[in-house]
Amino acid sequence: MQSPGELAAKKLAWEIESRKSVEALVRTTLKPGPENPPHSTYDSIEEHFIELDGKRFCDNRFFTAGGVVGRDTHFWDGNQSADVTYMPDLRRQLYVTISRQYHKENAGDRMERPHPFLLLYVGRTPLHKALAKATYCGTGEAMGRKCELFLFPAVKWAMPQDHLYYLDRETSIPLKVESYRDQAARDQNQPLWVWTAESIEKVQGHNLTPKSRLVRYNEQKPAFEWSFSLESITFDKDHEAATFWPAFEPGVEVHDMILDKHYVTPGARAPEQTSTAAPIEAVPPGDWMDTLPWASLILGCAILITGGCLWWKRR
């Protein structure tokens, strides 16, 4: 008879390894806690993420009060990384850094991906493979669903931390993850942060948690809260190799940390563009609205709001 870990690993192996590619648009909203001031730089982020055969691309747009205030783009071609920062117009490249580590992965063993894809890894090990070394902690509940609990001690993120996964018994998808500094913090129920799924859906044959939130704690008190919304997703699409490496613009500074070189690309910079950055083009698949049961509810709410706009100012 298979153990809970073996059963979960089998389900997760199909979920993770059967995806030829993933293209997603994830929106993160930052909500300050009651004892902390509002975030001074931005209040939300949109991540246009693409992954194919281990190669990755992510275009991040930072927003304040609905307006784009910053942008950076990250590329991984399977062997090396390029991080691009942009001029104030958010269109022209300002600086490119080439290195051996994708995005922030030089700070630890965390596999950089947007939520909820990040939590399908333990450090840089796919969750279904990491389960072989996990400690089974019995059963629990998240989102009102029965879960199998697994502990991964000393996960090497920016600082080592223990991660307790709540895996949905039916699908084995993570529905909750609790992070603790160490066993003493677990014994005293003092988490560093807690991530919780708020919905679970099957999209194009894959189980996903399109809505979730993460609360970071400071001495057992909520400090900051992030809400994650999977705005669109497409599986198994083909992507050109050029997707995973930037085309350097003329006059751009390049710092190649692999070759230990700093240079400026030939040519003059393009003139400043006064308009704001173009919106991210991550078009939802044709059946996106049909595959999510809650989409009809959203549409119905929109109709009701429109019908009532004569007497209630839309907020």
Side-chain angles (χ1 to χ4, degrees), residues 39-216:
H39 199 286
S40 59
T41 306
Y42 53 87
D43 55 31
S44 64
I45 311 168
E46 283 187 354
E47 299 172 88
H48 178 194
F49 176 72
I50 300 175
E51 181 171 13
L52 171 67
D53 295 332
K55 302 178 181 68
R56 283 171 284 170
F57 160 85
C58 194
D59 186 15
N60 299 326
R61 308 290 177 102
F62 302 86
F63 293 79
T64 295
V68 184
V69 296
R71 179 188 181 194
D72 58 43
T73 308
H74 308 279
F75 301 81
W76 174 253
D77 69 357
N79 295 301
Q80 58 184 346
S81 168
D83 300 308
V84 181
T85 58
Y86 292 85
M87 299 285 281
D89 60 18
L90 307 181
R91 291 175 180 267
R92 296 175 301 159
Q93 295 175 355
L94 172 64
Y95 200 86
V96 179
T97 301
I98 299 173
S99 69
R100 288 293 187 195
Q101 300 288 341
Y102 174 74
H103 199 359
K104 300 177 182 177
E105 290 181 354
N106 62 329
D109 284 345
R110 178 170 128 161
M111 182 68 83
E112 289 292 334
R113 284 170 172 81
H115 287 80
F117 310 108
L118 170 65
L119 297 174
L120 291 177
Y121 290 78
V122 179
R124 299 191 188 184
T125 303
L127 178 55
H128 65 285
K129 295 182 179 180
L131 280 168
K133 296 183 178 180
T135 300
Y136 179 61
C137 297
T139 61
E141 188 175 290
M143 276 182 50
R145 298 168 67 102
K146 293 182 179 179
C147 297
E148 306 287 355
L149 276 56
F150 296 90
L151 175 66
F152 300 91
V155 179
K156 296 179 181 179
W157 280 18
M159 58 172 286
Q161 48 197 269
D162 295 353
H163 289 176
L164 181 63
Y165 272 68
Y166 290 63
L167 300 186
D168 180 42
R169 180 174 289 177
E170 180 181 344
T171 66
S172 295
I173 293 296
L175 296 184
K176 185 176 182 180
V177 179
E178 299 172 347
S179 171
Y180 298 89
R181 187 179 300 274
D182 49 30
Q183 182 175 341
R186 296 201 317 269
D187 293 341
Q188 298 174 35
N189 192 27
Q190 295 182 343
L192 295 169
W193 53 263
V194 176
W195 172 87
T196 308
E198 296 182 333
S199 63
I200 182 169
E201 307 290 347
K202 179 167 285 190
V203 180
Q204 300 171 36
H206 295 280
N207 294 295
L208 297 168
T209 51
K211 301 286 184 181
S212 62
R213 67 188 181 100
L214 184 148
V215 179
R216 184 175 293 278

Side-chain angles (χ1 to χ4, degrees), residues 80-83 94-100 245 248 252-265:
Q80 58 184 346
S81 168
D83 300 308
L94 172 64
Y95 200 86
V96 179
T97 301
I98 299 173
S99 69
R100 288 293 187 195
W245 196 251
F248 297 168
V252 172
E253 292 185 58
V254 179
H255 184 194
D256 191 327
M257 299 176 66
I258 299 174
L259 300 178
D260 195 22
K261 290 184 178 181
H262 183 274
Y263 60 92
V264 177
T265 57

Side-chain angles (χ1 to χ4, degrees), residues 203 231 284-299:
V203 180
E231 302 293 310
D287 61 350
W288 173 252
M289 294 299 287
D290 294 332
T291 54
L292 293 183
W294 43 264
S296 59
L297 177 60
I298 295 174
L299 181 60

